[in-house]
Amino acid sequence: MTQRFSLRAALLASAIAFAPAAFAETPADVLVVAAQIDDIISLDPAQAFEFSGIEVDNNLYDRLVDFDPLDLNAGIKPSIAQSWEISEDGKTIVLTLREDVKFQSGNPLRAEDAAWSLQRAVKLNLGPAFILTQFGFTAENAEQTITADGNKLTLQLDKPYAVSLVLNCLANNVGNIIDKETVLANVQGDDYGNAWLSSNSAGSGPYSLTAWKPNEQVQLTAFEGYWGEAPAMKRVIVRNVQESAAQRLLLEQGDIDIARNLTPTDIEGVSANEGIKIATEPRGRILYMGLSQKDPLLQKPEVIEAMKYLVDYQGIQDSFLKGIFKTHQNIVPEGYLGASDENPYSYDVEKAKKILTDAGITSGTIKTVVRDIREYVDVAQTLQASMAQAGLTLEIQQMTGAQVLDAYRARQVPIFIGEWGPDYADPQTNVSTFALNANNADDAKLSELAWRNSWAVPEEMQAKVAAAVVENDSDKRKQMYLDIQQEYREIAPIVPLFQRVGQDGVRKNVDHWTAGGAVASVYYRQITKSE
């Protein structure tokens, strides 16, 4: 009995010793963030393609052009490139760079560094390289099509594109400017410094990388030689905290300033705390329903139309997706050029039933697999119930994310329910995947969602998408995307349902926090704390 009591007392004392102090407060010049950052694979801008890694890189590097973190609606603005000129044929872009910028190593940032950074990304040809190679850059021609002369960087495109598209792509993580000399000193074989840059930084951004411990935390330190306004937060610590309940506790105690992954229940709970505010922003990710055109039943236009009336948009939005998704029946997310706010479909089982019976369809069974994420499963089960009312049977099998994606990429999922996130801040990133399919053959093995759902997109629609890519008048380009989406809503078997909404818990003394809205560009340089 004595031994058992002593052990219990020791454990209690240990817990108290290591427990965070109640109602603690982070230092005035330190920002502490809790988030799920176990997705970081590499911090090399030519490789990083996960949300958390890109967020870190945003603060380590500068780009030729960028967004104003406090006014994302303003669009692209000059950054390291002070200005740019377009040739008459639209195929050459010359950017003039600032000459007062230094890397964190002390080396001057040159146009040569910018050219090498882009060439490097193309030659490595890792995940995000396609954002650059879509303009005709290849490993073989990169040194001839991406060149530097003095403080000018010249890009030779394979054809004229909408300038806004090119600039939006340069504002992507793959466009970060890297310190050429520092990286060359850390090259291993022919890896262009990839191994070293995976866990180190060589940028000119407002912060330098102090430490990254996978699955634990990232630490950043303000760069005193930063060319822009000095950040108020001298240190930023991002802690990997997986559970919403743990993030909420840390936030309420004051041990962190921002909680990034709170559930709707915990958001509601912390909302009552006078010391906490909720930052709500739309994200670019679209939750959609893909109806495979390999399935004989789903091939019928009447079934495609009926399915759009069998989703309980309002009921789902107001219940298990409350606060984290909003109805959005369009392929361009809110916050992007050409986004539409038209949501013409509503839950109407009787209408769906009439559409089906008029087409002679009174029954049918469809099998599907769903990733074992609660939101996706709940949507699938709700759809299953409404389909049953219309005489259709949906058989659901849950699988891991990897299993579902393998089947989906092999075009073996009749009804897919999941999310798509933009690769860069331009409408083309979504329109090209939802509404382009260059080759609908099984052996084409394309990555576009249209191909994964075996949809042979009408040639007329694909021609309209191609025309929008090269339109330089922003107003005309916007209308082109609106027109494409109107037609898309009527005929497409890939059905956008909801747009994700981000909700972050923030201590009330933290000002100017933004998670980047739909563009998802997280910056720390503008954040301040009030007393």
Side-chain angles (χ1 to χ4, degrees):
M1 190 74 171
T2 303
Q3 185 179 14
R4 189 174 300 169
F5 175 81
S6 299
L7 177 59
R8 182 180 177 187
L11 289 172
L12 179 61
S14 176
I16 292 173
F18 288 96
F23 308 110
E25 187 173 298
T26 61
D29 60 354
V30 177
L31 183 75
V32 184
V33 180
Q36 296 170 354
I37 59 169
D38 59 332
D39 61 327
I40 300 178
I41 296 173
S42 170
L43 295 177
D44 183 347
Q47 181 178 7
F49 213 34
E50 296 72 37
F51 293 117
S52 300
I54 290 173
E55 288 184 358
V56 174
D57 280 350
N58 282 344
N59 297 279
L60 301 176
Y61 296 90
D62 285 313
R63 301 162 186 173
L64 293 162
V65 293
D66 215 335
F67 301 97
D68 181 344
L70 298 180
D71 187 10
L72 292 169
N73 291 325
I76 290 293
K77 67 170 188 173
S79 181
I80 298 302
Q82 294 178 300
S83 62
W84 45 87
E85 298 178 357
I86 316 299
S87 63
E88 287 188 13
D89 65 3
K91 295 171 63 175
T92 303
I93 301 179
V94 180
L95 301 103
T96 302
L97 275 60
R98 303 177 64 100
E99 297 185 86
D100 59 346
V101 179
K102 290 186 179 295
F103 287 109
Q104 291 151 12
S105 66
N107 294 331
L109 187 154
R110 310 158 298 174
E112 179 182 343
D113 294 288
W116 183 81
S117 299
L118 299 179
Q119 294 167 2
R120 173 182 181 273
V122 170
K123 291 177 180 179
L124 280 172
N125 198 29
L126 299 172
F130 77 92
I131 296 171
L132 299 175
T133 59
Q134 67 179 311
F135 302 115
F137 303 130
T138 66
E140 292 72 30
N141 71 20
E143 292 185 16
Q144 289 74 48
T145 55
I146 306 171
T147 58
D149 182 12
N151 70 331
K152 295 185 183 297
L153 174 72
T154 300
L155 305 178
Q156 298 281 354
L157 314 178
D158 62 341
K159 65 180 181 181
Y161 294 88
V163 176
S164 57
L165 169 63
V166 180
L167 295 179
N168 278 326
C169 289
L170 291 177
N172 183 270
N173 193 56
V174 74
N176 284 335
I177 302 174
I178 297 170
D179 184 345
K180 176 181 177 181
E181 303 307 323
T182 295
V183 175
L184 288 179
N186 291 281
V187 166
Q188 298 178 21
D190 59 355
D191 78 339
Y192 291 94
N194 173 249
W196 184 80
L197 269 183
S198 289
S199 56
N200 293 277
S201 65
S204 60
Y207 289 92
S208 60
L209 181 66
T210 305
W212 166 42
K213 294 182 179 179
N215 303 321
E216 292 186 26
Q217 66 176 244
V218 173
Q219 292 189 30
L220 309 177
T221 301
F223 172 36
E224 293 184 1
Y226 182 53
W227 61 275
E229 185 176 349
M233 299 294 101
K234 300 307 178 187
R235 282 200 304 146
V236 175
I237 300 169
V238 185
R239 298 173 54 182
N240 184 44
V241 181
Q242 290 293 105
E243 296 297 327
S244 171
Q247 290 192 18
R248 174 182 173 179
L249 179 62
L250 291 169
L251 184 67
E252 290 178 327
Q253 292 179 159
D255 293 313
I256 62 173
D257 299 299
I258 300 168
R260 298 289 312 278
N261 306 106
L262 297 177
T263 63
T265 299
D266 285 324
I267 285 288
E268 187 175 353
V270 298
S271 297
N273 190 311
E274 293 183 357
I276 296 171
K277 56 189 174 184
I278 305 301
T280 301
E281 298 175 293
R283 294 286 187 268
R285 292 159 68 179
I286 300 294
L287 179 62
Y288 68 96
M289 173 177 64
L291 308 176
S292 174
Q293 295 305 280
K294 275 194 168 188
D295 187 283
L297 187 60
L298 295 174
Q299 287 176 1
K300 299 179 184 297
E302 297 86 358
V303 175
I304 295 172
E305 183 183 8
M307 290 294 292
K308 296 173 184 179
Y309 289 103
L310 290 174
V311 178
D312 187 1
Y313 302 95
Q314 194 67 43
I316 291 172
Q317 175 184 290
D318 292 344
S319 56
F320 53 84
L321 295 188
K322 185 177 181 180
I324 59 174
F325 281 96
K326 59 183 288 188
T327 300
H328 187 78
Q329 297 169 4
N330 299 281
I331 57 179
V332 177
E334 177 186 326
Y336 281 61
L337 176 75
S340 172
D341 58 4
E342 295 289 327
N343 295 310
Y345 296 101
S346 58
Y347 184 49
D348 192 334
V349 174
E350 291 306 313
K351 185 169 185 175
K353 203 171 188 178
K354 186 177 187 308
I355 293 170
L356 293 172
T357 53
D358 286 352
I361 302 168
T362 56
S363 64
T365 298
I366 306 169
K367 297 181 180 180
T368 193
V369 292
V370 179
R371 185 178 178 184
D372 52 1
I373 290 180
R374 188 69 261 163
E375 297 120 57
Y376 302 172
V377 174
D378 286 345
V379 170
Q381 291 176 342
T382 304
L383 182 63
Q384 182 184 53
S386 62
M387 287 174 65
Q389 294 181 62
L392 300 177
T393 300
L394 179 63
E395 296 181 354
I396 301 173
Q397 181 180 3
Q398 293 185 46
M399 290 185 177
T400 66
Q403 290 172 321
V404 172
L405 285 175
D406 283 345
Y408 189 38
R409 289 166 178 165
R411 313 215 296 183
Q412 296 173 355
V413 179
I415 294 182
F416 178 84
I417 294 172
E419 288 179 80
W420 176 265
D423 292 315
Y424 48 89
D426 189 272
Q428 185 64 15
T429 184
N430 271 28
V431 176
S432 63
T433 193
F434 280 91
L436 284 182
N437 185 358
N439 184 350
N440 199 39
D442 283 342
D443 59 3
K445 297 183 178 180
L446 304 180
S447 60
E448 287 86 354
L449 298 186
W451 182 85
R452 292 180 188 179
N453 289 279
S454 304
W455 182 37
V457 183
E459 290 185 9
E460 296 82 0
M461 179 176 285
Q462 299 202 66
K464 292 175 183 178
V465 175
V469 170
V470 297
E471 177 55 61
N472 264 308
D473 185 307
S474 291
D475 289 337
K476 289 182 180 179
R477 190 167 182 241
K478 174 182 177 180
Q479 189 59 51
M480 292 169 82
Y481 284 121
L482 289 171
D483 293 343
I484 290 169
Q485 289 175 97
Q486 180 177 352
E487 181 181 356
Y488 187 94
R489 287 192 299 266
E490 295 173 358
I491 68 170
I494 311 169
V495 187
L497 307 174
F498 305 97
Q499 180 171 348
R500 184 174 280 276
V501 176
Q503 292 187 305
D504 300 325
V506 183
R507 297 293 302 183
K508 279 197 173 175
N509 69 323
V510 176
D511 298 314
H512 307 128
W513 162 257
T514 172
V519 174
S521 292
V522 175
Y523 299 96
Y524 301 123
R525 63 177 182 253
Q526 80 281 354
I527 293 177
T528 60
K529 289 185 181 180
S530 55
E531 296 182 2

